[in-house]
Amino acid sequence: MMLIDPHTHSNESDGTDTPAQLMQGAARAGLAMVGLTDHDVTFGWEEAGAAVPETGVALLRGMEMSCAWEGITVHMLSYLHDPADPDLLAAARKTIDSRENRARIMVERISQDFPITWDDVLRYAPEDGAIGRPHIADALVAAGSFENRNQAFEYVLHPRGPYYYFHWAQDPVVAVQQIRAAGGVPVIAHPLARQRQRVLPMSVLADLVDAGLAGFETNHPDHTEADAQILRDLAAKHGIFITGSSDYHGTGKPNRLAQNTTPLEVIEEIERQGKLDIIRP
Ligand code: AMP
Ligand code: MN
Ligand code: MN
Ligand code: MN
């Protein structure tokens, strides 16, 4: 049995492990392969790739692209795309800039009621990358306002809370087209994570398939078993593959490496469709 966990984060986005620590953790968790999929950046690929020989863990290079459809947040995983593709880089740059503006506005609002500053938040954010609510949560935890990120998300950082502000993100149908054009393999992340946010209507999931979507992430900590089954049935109907992952974020979430995994034959299909290769020990 080869255990493969294809969706995880490092501190190049909102995880807490460095890419090398993530690879070491993957080895300890008994994984044969890990997918590094930081939000909107590929900056961790080099360090994680360099740790492949010593850890013996293969690296599936990916990215979790921020998207939005009519105010609904959508996360699109892209695997094995050209990291220098100009269209994907332009969308990422626009997202990263808009995320910073949004975070500044949220921190401004939150600081009326809680003792945090913009500089506090910057301490937890990657230097150039997708600054997000988890980094604001880290500042709130450090200030003693909350015990952990999850508590900060319950109200203060919640989309329906009083401090929330939206950021620009790519349309998910355009994202699927751009990922394919960049040689990548698009898989929609946690499409039915209803506890956290509003989710896409089924009709838009079908539009994504028509645009070239390769798979649904069905086995995810934020999915109920009933919703995972709905997605398995829908994937079978459309003839696309399904994946499972932990969506590990280090100490930022309770999710543990190898909590959910994806069969080798699905990963081989991703590699067949993708422009880049998996980095193997
Ligand atoms: P943002 O991209 O800034 O809107 O923040 C969304 C990110 O926050 C997601 O990628 C999750 O990793 C993280 N997140 C969402 N809900 C929670 C939670 N309850 N606890 C910890 N992290 C969370
Ligand atoms: Mn995240
Ligand atoms: Mn996500
Ligand atoms: Mn993720």
Side-chain angles (χ1 to χ4, degrees):
M1 245 316 246
M2 265 188 84
L3 291 179
I4 302 169
D5 186 345
H7 173 181
T8 70
H9 296 266
S10 76
N11 64 0
E12 291 292 347
S13 63
D14 56 358
T16 59
D17 290 352
T18 64
Q21 287 167 342
L22 172 74
M23 296 300 287
Q24 288 147 12
R28 284 195 301 274
L31 288 169
M33 190 188 306
V34 70
L36 175 61
T37 52
D38 279 311
H39 299 284
D40 303 307
V41 301
T42 60
F43 301 148
W45 286 7
E46 199 180 326
E47 186 182 314
V52 167
E54 76 231 37
T55 57
V57 176
L59 177 68
L60 173 65
R61 290 170 286 180
M63 179 174 89
E64 187 173 11
M65 186 174 173
S66 303
C67 299
W69 183 87
E70 298 201 356
I72 298 172
T73 292
V74 180
H75 285 174
M76 193 64 66
L77 295 164
S78 174
Y79 289 110
L80 303 175
H81 65 270
D82 174 4
D85 180 81
D87 290 335
L88 277 187
L89 280 179
R93 178 47 54 193
K94 199 171 161 187
T95 301
I96 288 167
D97 290 348
S98 177
R99 276 177 166 284
E100 177 173 338
N101 174 62
R102 172 265 202 144
R104 282 180 187 274
I105 291 169
M106 286 188 67
V107 170
E108 179 68 36
R109 291 178 177 179
I110 293 167
S111 66
Q112 309 292 310
D113 298 327
F114 295 89
I116 60 163
T117 65
W118 179 242
D119 281 343
D120 295 335
V121 175
L122 285 185
R123 221 165 283 144
Y124 302 99
E127 235 166 69
D128 181 26
I131 188 165
R133 287 176 290 158
H135 309 111
I136 304 175
D138 289 344
L140 286 163
V141 171
S145 301
F146 297 98
E147 295 275 328
N148 53 45
R149 281 186 182 178
N150 192 45
Q151 278 187 10
F153 267 87
E154 270 169 23
Y155 171 68
V156 173
L157 298 173
H158 198 277
R160 282 187 294 275
Y163 310 102
Y164 191 80
Y165 193 82
F166 212 70
H167 66 79
W168 181 87
Q170 184 61 278
D171 178 273
V173 169
V174 177
V176 166
Q177 293 162 345
Q178 286 185 333
I179 289 166
R180 284 293 189 187
V185 185
V187 176
I188 186 171
H190 47 73
L192 293 180
R194 303 180 206 269
Q195 280 84 359
R196 296 216 192 275
Q197 52 155 121
R198 289 191 296 144
V199 300
L200 281 180
M202 292 294 165
S203 63
V204 180
L205 290 183
D207 292 344
L208 294 176
V209 174
D210 291 343
L213 189 74
F216 291 148
E217 183 180 58
T218 60
N219 295 12
H220 184 277
D222 292 348
H223 284 163
T224 63
E225 178 47 35
D227 282 333
Q229 192 55 49
I230 289 171
L231 289 168
R232 287 181 206 115
D233 294 343
L234 197 63
K237 189 183 124 194
H238 287 296
I240 64 174
F241 61 70
I242 58 172
T243 66
S245 78
S246 68
D247 202 358
Y248 172 77
H249 279 68
T251 59
K253 280 187 176 180
N255 310 15
R256 294 337 308 160
L257 281 169
Q259 180 176 341
N260 296 302
T261 56
T262 299
L264 179 62
E265 54 265 31
V266 174
I267 300 298
E268 285 171 344
E269 176 62 21
I270 289 174
E271 190 173 36
R272 202 187 59 72
Q273 293 184 24
K275 177 177 176 132
L276 305 184
D277 290 331
I278 291 165
I279 301 175
R280 293 188 173 79

